[in-house]
Amino acid sequence: MATSSVSKGCFVFKPNFKKRRTSVPIDEYFNKGKNESEDSKLRFETYQLLWQQMKSETERLQEELNKNLFDSLIEFLQKSYSGFQKNSRDWGYQIKLREIPTAALVLGVNVTDHDLTFRSLREALQNNVTPYVVSLQARECPDMKHFLQKLVSQLMDCCIDVESKEEENVQITQKITHCSMDSLSSWYMNVTQKTDSKKPGKKRTSSSQWQSPPVVLILKDMESFTTKVLQDFIIISSQHLHEFPLILIFGIATSPIIIHRLLPHAISSLLCIELFQSLSCKEHLTTVLDKLLLTTQFPFKLSEKVLQILINIFLYHDFSIQNFIKGLQLSLLEHFCSQSLSVLCCNLPEAKRRISFLSDNQCENVRRLPSFRRYVEKQAAEKQVALLTSERFLKEETQSLLENLHVYHTNYFLVLRCFHHFTSSLPKCPLGRQIRELYCTCLEKNIWESEEYASALQLLRMLAKDELTTILQKCLDVFRASEKQLGNTAKRIEEFLAQFQSLDAQAKEEEDTSGSQSKGLQKTDLYHLQKALLEMKELRRTSKKPTKFEVLREKVVNFIDTLVREHLLPPDTQPLHEALYCSAAHSIRERLNAAPRMALHTALNNPYYYLKNEALKSEEGCIPSVAPDICIAYKLHLECSRLINLVDWSEAFATVVTAAEQMDANSMTSEERDEMIHARFIRAVSELELLGFIKPTKQKTDHVARLTWGGC
């Protein structure tokens, strides 16, 4: 694309989207040196299919969790505007004169998840309540002028009638320039009148069933709005409610008390506030883990270290469910990209079919797995030879091992949920209150070898009969809800419950008999009564015979202990677990929990780490003269104290730089070379100041202050 002009100029060319260069397919990144292209393509397709299934499950879960909140919000809107739906002239009387219906929506500190929630809320309101839904943020509304401009511009895009929308687009620019509540009120009356007159006989949709649907204004981050802007808008809106019906939704991240801190009583009295609370972030995380990881629906699983990294980032950084799901997606991508046998991370019938078509290289990859090598070492000599030499026998054994791994997961999650019911209500919760804590412990080691497990069993042996029967009933519901029950476990639990019920019947009979015997007892004095009680106490202490309930309770605890020891084995004890479990904890931590200061220090102190240039290799403590200028200046500044003399720093910089330019010394004069080195030094110092390593100081002339210590 060439241009000719008499004088130099700047020419702007809009890009041609039709001729845009196509990017490299993502599946090419799966193709590494030793992997075949067919294998990489299959792994990428498997990754896409599995992630789409997990993504759709998270979206469905999000809708279910928000359903109750959105339903209560919609019900609040309908109650607030029920009187206005009948007769618009009675608006002021139906909502207590000038009170604006306001919903205070407390969403929590996970601000990164709020956009998705408000987007879903806006769609729900437009489909069920009103087409006029406006969403504003504090950064868009620094003053009242911009507030009204954004409000008007979004309302113009929320027209009920598509034909009238085309006519109004001509007047949008004029209305935005001189927008006010009077112009908004007149616009609202015109739009609602046109809608009623144009479609008198048509059946309206659910969002436009009202003759004059209200305008819903969502303030996403209410805490960030300027106090004066909020106060002015509420005062003006309350004076126009009879002609411009408005409802406010405040998005609150901290606490509802922020409303009274931002708005004085004279302003907050103009609002009819109702509080709505969303689901807790931790409860949301527990539900996501339960539906995505603690299930056999998806074969992909996380190792203990990877799962702990994702949970720690959630609990100690942002409380964001969306970021947790992105971390889960990254783990899935890393697993399929780095593990060649991740082609088996699919449903069991498809995995068996793929095993039968494994190539020789893939069979060798199976033999190299640490878990498979441990399995081979435990087999007889003849079977070891067959597994290491026969491809056919290896494939048959791999199919059997993979089927056992899926059965292991089915039993594992059933016993895990059952054991969680026992441990979650114990005092001080030695194994954790949440199921994710128990799951992480079981992934890490044999849980029955820990001290917490021993203390949990001691507490279980002191449970009352009512508590024990309630927990057993919950466990029975868990096993009944599963399609594949764990042997006769459900029958054993039913037998325990029946025995506890029979104990109740026997206890009633004993009470009746003891009551009848007590009637025949003779009166005695205090001395003989005390003597009899002491004898009974001594007899009980010497005999130590447990009651029937204690015997039955001990049987239940031993039964649970047997289930745990048999089915809650760590995943790394199972052959072929590497095909389903992502264990790249180091790579996930580097990408999700980055340390920018350490990365910057490494880049400046050792540029070879990133540039991979052999000329930049140097011994520790040495400064390579061919390094970038900023690296030379940085390593020199590490040798200085709190205040750095610019003259000494410049001379040291020139000494290092000229060592590499002795061969080219004749190409320019000494003055030109000094000026060039001085300019390079000034640029390097400016870059270090921009990065925050130094700053100017007035304590000494021609000095700068050092800001970082300890090598970073």
Side-chain angles (χ1 to χ4, degrees):
M1 189 178 296
T3 58
S4 60
S5 176
V6 177
S7 61
K8 295 182 179 180
C10 179
F11 300 92
V12 179
F13 299 97
K14 294 183 178 180
N16 190 353
F17 296 98
K18 296 181 180 179
K19 297 182 180 180
R20 180 178 293 178
R21 183 174 63 88
T22 57
S23 59
V24 180
I26 303 177
D27 57 336
E28 293 296 331
Y29 294 102
F30 278 70
N31 190 11
K32 294 185 178 180
K34 297 182 180 180
N35 295 334
E36 299 178 358
S37 59
E38 297 178 354
D39 180 39
S40 62
K41 185 178 180 180
L42 182 60
R43 282 188 284 131
F44 177 70
E45 292 175 353
T46 308
Y47 156 75
Q48 280 188 318
L49 178 61
L50 185 57
W51 172 244
Q52 288 299 325
Q53 294 174 354
M54 298 177 74
K55 184 180 178 181
S56 60
E57 180 67 20
T58 56
E59 292 175 352
R60 185 191 64 80
L61 181 63
Q62 185 72 33
E63 292 178 359
E64 290 182 358
L65 295 177
N66 289 335
K67 187 177 183 302
N68 295 332
L69 177 65
F70 291 171
D71 290 345
S72 58
L73 270 172
I74 292 173
E75 183 181 358
F76 168 70
L77 294 180
Q78 293 173 347
K79 286 182 179 179
S80 301
Y81 283 84
S82 58
F84 183 65
Q85 182 180 0
K86 298 177 182 179
N87 187 0
S88 61
R89 295 180 180 178
D90 297 336
W91 165 257
Y93 300 99
Q94 295 294 330
I95 63 164
K96 300 178 182 179
L97 299 177
R98 293 183 178 179
E99 288 187 359
I100 304 175
T102 305
L105 184 56
V106 183
L107 296 177
V109 295
N110 53 331
V111 182
T112 52
D113 296 340
H114 291 183
D115 288 338
L116 180 61
T117 304
F118 283 122
R119 198 181 310 125
S120 303
L121 175 61
R122 184 169 184 171
E123 294 177 359
L125 294 179
Q126 288 178 340
N127 294 333
N128 299 282
V129 179
T130 173
Y132 306 116
V133 182
V134 180
S135 180
L136 298 180
Q137 289 182 318
R139 65 171 180 265
E140 301 173 344
C141 311
D143 50 24
M144 194 64 186
K145 177 182 176 182
H146 290 85
F147 191 101
L148 291 177
Q149 284 182 355
K150 289 292 181 180
L151 177 60
V152 171
S153 61
Q154 290 195 33
L155 278 178
M156 296 303 177
D157 296 332
C158 301
C159 193
I160 298 177
D161 190 2
V162 180
E163 298 176 358
S164 61
K165 183 178 180 180
E166 296 178 356
E167 299 175 0
E168 291 173 1
N169 284 338
V170 182
Q171 304 175 358
I172 287 179
T173 306
Q174 299 177 355
K175 289 188 176 182
I176 291 178
T177 55
H178 56 276
C179 55
S180 62
M181 290 302 297
D182 293 332
S183 61
L184 274 176
S185 301
S186 60
W187 170 85
Y188 177 80
M189 296 299 294
N190 293 333
V191 170
T192 53
Q193 290 175 1
K194 287 181 181 179
T195 305
D196 296 337
S197 61
K198 284 189 176 183
K199 298 181 180 180
K202 271 191 177 182
K203 186 178 180 180
R204 292 189 174 96
T205 60
S206 59
S207 63
S208 59
Q209 62 182 354
W210 297 347
Q211 294 180 357
S212 299
V215 176
V216 178
L217 176 58
I218 302 175
L219 304 182
K220 291 184 177 180
D221 45 352
M222 192 255 185
E223 295 97 335
S224 302
F225 275 88
T226 308
T227 305
K228 188 176 185 307
V229 173
L230 285 176
Q231 293 180 10
D232 294 345
F233 179 75
I234 291 173
I235 293 173
I236 297 173
S237 301
S238 63
Q239 297 174 356
H240 292 79
L241 273 180
H242 61 283
E243 53 192 14
F244 186 72
L246 177 69
I247 183 169
L248 297 177
I249 297 180
F250 291 157
I252 300 174
T254 54
S255 173
I257 199 173
I258 193 66
I259 299 177
H260 302 287
R261 290 180 180 176
L262 293 176
L263 305 176
H265 178 71
I267 306 299
S268 60
S269 61
L270 301 176
L271 304 176
C272 181
I273 303 175
E274 186 165 339
L275 183 64
F276 296 90
Q277 180 75 46
S278 65
L279 187 67
S280 172
C281 306
K282 294 182 179 181
E283 296 177 0
H284 197 165
L285 175 65
T286 302
T287 309
V288 169
L289 288 176
D290 185 65
K291 298 297 182 182
L292 296 184
L293 295 180
L294 304 182
T295 177
T296 56
Q297 181 181 358
F298 305 109
F300 175 72
K301 299 291 180 289
L302 296 178
S303 66
E304 186 272 333
K305 292 184 178 179
V306 177
L307 180 59
Q308 199 64 52
I309 289 172
L310 297 182
I311 293 178
N312 288 341
I313 292 176
F314 174 86
L315 294 177
Y316 301 114
H317 285 78
D318 51 11
F319 287 102
S320 173
I321 295 295
Q322 297 303 314
N323 289 346
F324 180 85
I325 294 174
K326 289 179 182 178
L328 183 62
Q329 182 185 8
L330 177 62
S331 305
L332 181 67
L333 182 62
E334 180 68 26
H335 176 66
F336 277 90
C337 186
S338 59
Q339 178 58 256
S340 59
L341 291 176
S342 57
V343 290
L344 305 181
C345 188
C346 54
N347 58 72
L348 186 58
E350 178 64 19
K352 287 185 175 181
R353 188 190 67 81
R354 293 182 180 182
I355 290 174
S356 60
F357 293 101
L358 288 178
S359 62
D360 295 340
N361 292 332
Q362 290 172 326
C363 290
E364 288 299 322
N365 291 333
V366 173
R367 293 189 177 103
R368 294 192 190 100
L369 291 177
S371 62
F372 186 79
R373 293 170 63 180
R374 291 194 297 267
Y375 171 76
V376 173
E377 292 173 357
K378 297 178 182 178
Q379 306 304 315
E382 297 179 356
K383 192 173 183 179
Q384 289 182 5
V385 174
L387 287 172
L388 298 176
T389 57
S390 174
E391 306 293 339
R392 180 178 178 182
F393 186 76
L394 174 66
K395 293 178 181 179
E396 293 176 355
E397 192 68 16
T398 303
Q399 290 178 346
S400 176
L401 291 176
L402 195 63
E403 184 176 359
N404 294 339
L405 185 59
H406 282 263
V407 174
Y408 159 80
H409 282 148
T410 303
N411 299 337
Y412 186 95
F413 295 127
L414 285 176
V415 177
L416 181 70
R417 296 178 194 280
C418 178
F419 189 51
H420 173 66
H421 286 307
F422 277 91
T423 59
S424 59
S425 59
L426 293 178
K428 296 184 179 180
C429 298
L431 292 175
R433 189 177 299 276
Q434 301 292 335
I435 192 172
R436 65 171 183 269
E437 300 172 346
L438 179 62
Y439 181 51
C440 289
T441 306
C442 295
L443 288 177
E444 182 182 6
K445 58 185 177 181
N446 293 331
I447 189 173
W448 55 87
E449 297 177 356
S450 62
E451 297 180 0
E452 293 81 6
Y453 181 81
S455 61
L457 288 188
Q458 290 181 358
L459 293 173
L460 288 178
R461 291 186 173 95
M462 294 185 290
L463 286 178
K465 182 170 58 177
D466 296 339
E467 297 175 338
L468 202 56
T469 53
T470 303
I471 295 174
L472 285 175
Q473 187 61 45
K474 292 180 181 178
C475 294
L476 183 61
D477 296 338
V478 169
F479 286 103
R480 284 179 176 175
S482 176
E483 297 178 357
K484 299 180 181 180
Q485 296 184 3
L486 187 61
N488 60 348
T489 306
K491 293 182 180 179
R492 289 290 305 277
I493 295 177
E494 290 178 352
E495 293 176 359
F496 285 134
L497 289 173
Q499 292 176 10
F500 278 116
Q501 292 178 357
S502 63
L503 285 179
D504 293 338
Q506 294 177 5
K508 290 182 179 179
E509 293 179 358
E510 291 177 358
E511 289 179 359
D512 296 340
T513 55
S514 62
S516 60
Q517 291 177 0
S518 61
K519 294 179 181 179
L521 293 177
Q522 297 179 356
K523 293 183 179 180
T524 181
D525 55 2
L526 182 60
Y527 171 76
H528 290 88
L529 178 61
Q530 289 179 346
K531 184 178 179 181
L533 291 175
L534 289 174
E535 291 177 354
M536 292 174 61
K537 182 179 179 181
E538 183 67 19
L539 182 63
R540 289 180 181 178
R541 188 180 65 82
T542 54
S543 62
K544 292 184 179 180
K545 185 178 179 181
T547 62
K548 294 181 179 180
F549 167 70
E550 293 174 348
V551 173
L552 185 56
R553 181 176 58 186
E554 185 67 22
K555 290 182 180 179
V556 172
V557 174
N558 292 336
F559 172 70
I560 296 300
D561 183 36
T562 305
L563 285 180
V564 170
R565 293 174 181 270
E566 184 177 355
H567 298 287
L568 290 188
L569 296 168
D572 54 9
T573 61
Q574 305 299 315
L576 302 182
H577 74 275
E578 294 92 343
L580 306 184
Y581 281 81
C582 173
S583 57
H586 180 70
S587 178
I588 299 299
R589 184 185 289 108
E590 283 186 343
R591 287 165 173 78
L592 292 181
N593 198 9
R597 290 182 62 187
M598 286 302 301
L600 190 60
H601 169 72
T602 304
L604 296 177
N605 193 43
N606 184 19
Y608 173 78
Y609 184 84
Y610 291 104
L611 299 180
K612 303 300 181 184
N613 188 348
E614 295 296 331
L616 297 176
K617 277 189 175 182
S618 63
E619 297 180 0
E620 187 176 357
C622 298
I623 304 176
S625 56
V626 294
D629 294 342
I630 188 174
C631 297
I632 297 174
Y634 178 77
K635 297 192 74 171
L636 289 173
H637 115 285
L638 291 178
E639 301 174 358
C640 301
S641 59
R642 186 174 62 88
L643 295 179
I644 306 174
N645 191 328
L646 287 174
V647 178
D648 297 340
W649 195 6
S650 176
E651 291 178 356
F653 179 83
T655 303
V656 176
V657 170
T658 53
E661 298 179 353
Q662 289 180 357
M663 300 298 296
D664 300 332
N666 298 326
S667 61
M668 62 178 68
T669 62
S670 60
E671 293 182 358
E672 292 177 350
R673 186 171 63 253
D674 293 342
E675 291 179 357
M676 179 66 69
I677 294 174
H678 186 64
R680 290 166 59 183
F681 173 74
I682 292 175
R683 183 177 64 179
V685 171
S686 301
E687 291 173 350
L688 289 177
E689 182 181 355
L690 179 64
L691 293 175
F693 290 103
I694 60 174
K695 73 173 183 177
T697 180
K698 295 181 180 180
Q699 296 182 10
K700 282 188 179 182
T701 308
D702 296 335
H703 280 70
V704 292
R706 183 178 172 183
L707 299 178
T708 58
W709 306 91
C712 57

